[in-house]
Amino acid sequence: MNTYEAAVERYFAAWNAPDAESRAKAVAAAWTEDGSYTDPLAQVTGHGELAAAIGAAREQFPGCEFRQSGAVDGHHDIARFSWELVVVADGSSPAAGFDVITLAEDGRIASVKGFLDRVPGA
């Protein structure tokens, strides 16, 4: 597994963490202390805000998990990948998009720029 794939694996571990305690640990493992996440619906910075935003998304979509779709593509300190939000019970996918991450020297995420390709109700 290369650095990009490892960072993306930690990213999904944070998004899929089942409770606040494991989410806080996963966010700290995935992002730098001042790491950020920006998409059309959110703009947050720091571990506390990141964990809260992820927790809110999990509450909005109970029974779902985020999954990588396709390969991770990266160069220098930047990588991109696609994802889907999947309903575990039936495999349907109400949302999908792609993210571009910038990595810090330690391999953790410094920033995420998210793009939504499919959203519920759209």
Side-chain angles (χ1 to χ4, degrees):
M1 178 179 308
N2 66 38
T3 302
Y4 308 118
E5 292 165 340
V8 171
E9 184 176 281
R10 290 190 303 272
Y11 175 84
F12 283 108
W15 278 97
N16 291 320
D19 57 69
E21 183 178 341
S22 61
R23 187 173 309 118
K25 289 178 183 176
V27 165
W31 272 273
T32 60
E33 289 78 11
D34 60 349
S36 65
Y37 176 89
T38 303
D39 72 14
L41 305 174
Q43 185 170 10
V44 297
T45 301
H47 290 173
E49 289 183 11
L50 287 158
I54 292 169
R58 293 193 52 80
E59 286 177 16
Q60 184 177 0
F61 298 103
C64 292
E65 68 182 19
F66 289 89
R67 297 182 186 168
Q68 182 179 331
S69 58
V72 177
D73 181 27
H75 62 82
H76 296 86
D77 62 348
I78 302 167
R80 66 179 177 167
F81 57 94
S82 297
W83 55 267
E84 291 184 309
L85 178 66
V86 177
V87 179
V88 175
D90 66 13
S92 63
S93 175
F98 76 93
D99 291 347
V100 177
I101 61 174
T102 302
L103 299 179
E105 288 185 18
D106 67 1
R108 290 187 297 162
I109 298 168
S111 69
V112 177
K113 305 297 189 238
F115 297 84
L116 304 175
D117 295 327
R118 184 175 67 245
V119 295

